[in-house]
Amino acid sequence: MGTTRITAEPGMPFIDIEREFDAPRELLFRAHTDPELIAQWLGPAKYRMQVERLDVRDGGSWRFVHFDDRGNESGFRGVFHGEPSVDGILQTWEFEGFPGHVSLESLVFDERDGRTTLRIHAVYQSVEDRDGLIASGMEGGMNEGYARLDALVGRLARVA
Amino acid sequence: MGTTRITAEPGMPFIDIEREFDAPRELLFRAHTDPELIAQWLGPAKYRMQVERLDVRDGGSWRFVHFDDRGNESGFRGVFHGEPSVDGILQTWEFEGFPGHVSLESLVFDERDGRTTLRIHAVYQSVEDRDGLIASGMEGGMNEGYARLDALVGRLARVA
């Protein structure tokens, strides 16, 4: 199974993420943009994920909600800058529990020999915002999500 | 006449801009969101400015074009994250001549005693992107634009 590499240089407002998947980039793109697919993998395993809105186009917006066992909600939202495609996705990203602190993230799907490396470059409005997100434990939830995404695109690749 | 203060700390991907205007913040907001008004002030004086699209809402997009004497075009585009209001505007920003290099900028209109300080915090995907924009001579065009904006909101304030 692949591992996720996270780079967060001290004192800079960036996070870089790199994760390889055993599937072509079309499937990675689909898993990021099809509401039924993204609900199956994004976020920590302990939450139920609901896609409230995912309007995949230039200027389209998205909103996802995670529910815990007791029904508590965590909302996330953003808009797409430019047309999302297999060449990449550029979007804003905001956790509604920390409103007004928004990041801009680019996702690139780099395919070689049928395997695809997902590269994310996220930039925050301050180093404090970036550090706060890392301190919140994003890494654990992301790893759980990518393990499920790995399994999902593996199943899709076998079906295709 | 007010002066524009630009801060760009070396080695960081931020630009901060501060400019005071002798007008209430409602007028500054209008001058940023009304297509007929924004066309009167934004950008270097030597260009004709055309607002191709300015859809002021959460997820709305905008596109502006500057034309020089010989009809050469420079296009700029972005999308709004969140509902733009007198409390602030958050938007992506891209110069089409340097595609794929996008920034995220917040504008805040801070009014005190009838005067308003516009504060912009822009964050770039890399320090190189930020440095390239500064090297392109953005400061001169911005100062010309803000001098026109100053005169425009002054006229609007006298009419109101």
Side-chain angles (χ1 to χ4, degrees):
Chain A
M1 193 194 292
T3 56
T4 305
R5 203 157 54 156
I6 302 180
T7 310
E9 193 188 333
M12 295 298 282
F14 302 129
I15 296 179
D16 285 277
I17 297 164
E18 207 175 284
R19 179 41 151 108
E20 201 185 43
F21 296 91
D22 188 16
R25 65 180 190 159
E26 282 77 11
L27 293 184
L28 268 301
F29 178 70
R30 264 183 61 198
H32 279 80
T33 52
D34 178 324
E36 290 192 16
L37 295 182
I38 202 167
Q40 294 177 38
W41 68 266
L42 189 70
K46 64 183 169 184
Y47 299 135
R48 182 170 62 83
M49 153 79 165
Q50 182 180 301
V51 176
E52 192 192 274
R53 190 169 66 247
L54 180 55
D55 186 11
V56 181
R57 61 174 180 84
D58 186 8
S61 65
W62 57 267
R63 182 170 190 261
F64 305 149
V65 185
H66 288 147
F67 294 91
D68 72 10
D69 287 346
R70 291 180 291 189
N72 297 314
E73 294 185 23
S74 301
F76 300 86
R77 56 200 296 276
V79 293
F80 295 108
H81 175 106
E83 189 71 33
S85 79
V86 292
D87 291 328
I89 296 171
L90 189 61
Q91 62 184 13
T92 58
W93 189 98
E94 182 178 22
F95 169 44
E96 293 174 355
F98 194 39
H101 299 262
V102 179
S103 57
L104 178 67
E105 60 175 44
S106 69
L107 292 79
V108 172
F109 307 102
D110 187 8
E111 180 179 331
R112 275 174 211 199
D113 304 321
R115 294 179 66 83
T116 300
T117 303
L118 165 66
R119 290 195 178 84
I120 300 177
H121 178 64
V123 47
Y124 298 81
Q125 291 179 299
S126 69
V127 176
E128 292 70 27
D129 282 2
R130 197 276 313 255
D131 290 347
L133 187 67
I134 289 178
S136 76
M138 63 167 275
E139 188 171 352
M142 200 173 61
N143 281 327
E144 290 172 9
Y146 284 154
R148 287 202 301 272
L149 176 57
D150 209 18
L152 173 65
V153 293
R155 285 197 300 276
L156 294 171
R158 283 191 294 276
V159 170
Chain B
M1 196 195 289
T3 56
T4 305
R5 202 158 55 156
I6 302 181
T7 310
E9 193 188 334
M12 295 297 283
F14 303 129
I15 297 179
D16 285 276
I17 297 165
E18 208 175 283
R19 199 349 170 137
E20 201 184 45
F21 296 91
D22 187 16
R25 65 180 191 158
E26 281 79 9
L27 293 184
L28 268 300
F29 178 70
R30 263 183 62 199
H32 279 81
T33 52
D34 178 323
E36 290 192 15
L37 296 181
I38 202 168
Q40 294 177 38
W41 68 265
L42 188 70
K46 63 183 172 185
Y47 299 135
R48 182 170 63 82
M49 152 79 166
Q50 183 179 300
V51 176
E52 192 193 274
R53 190 168 66 247
L54 180 54
D55 186 11
V56 181
R57 60 174 180 84
D58 186 7
S61 64
W62 56 268
R63 183 170 188 261
F64 305 149
V65 184
H66 288 146
F67 294 90
D68 71 11
D69 287 347
R70 291 180 289 189
N72 297 315
E73 293 186 23
S74 302
F76 300 85
R77 56 200 297 276
V79 293
F80 295 108
H81 175 107
E83 189 70 33
S85 79
V86 291
D87 291 326
I89 295 171
L90 189 61
Q91 63 184 13
T92 58
W93 189 98
E94 181 178 22
F95 168 44
E96 293 173 356
F98 194 39
H101 298 263
V102 179
S103 57
L104 178 68
E105 60 176 45
S106 69
L107 292 79
V108 171
F109 307 102
D110 186 8
E111 180 178 332
R112 275 175 213 200
D113 305 321
R115 295 179 66 82
T116 300
T117 303
L118 166 65
R119 290 195 177 86
I120 300 179
H121 178 64
V123 49
Y124 298 81
Q125 290 178 298
S126 69
V127 177
E128 293 70 27
D129 282 3
R130 196 278 311 257
D131 290 348
L133 187 68
I134 290 177
S136 76
M138 63 166 275
E139 189 171 353
M142 200 172 61
N143 281 327
E144 290 172 10
Y146 284 154
R148 288 202 302 273
L149 176 57
D150 207 19
L152 173 64
V153 293
R155 285 196 302 276
L156 294 172
R158 284 190 295 277
V159 169

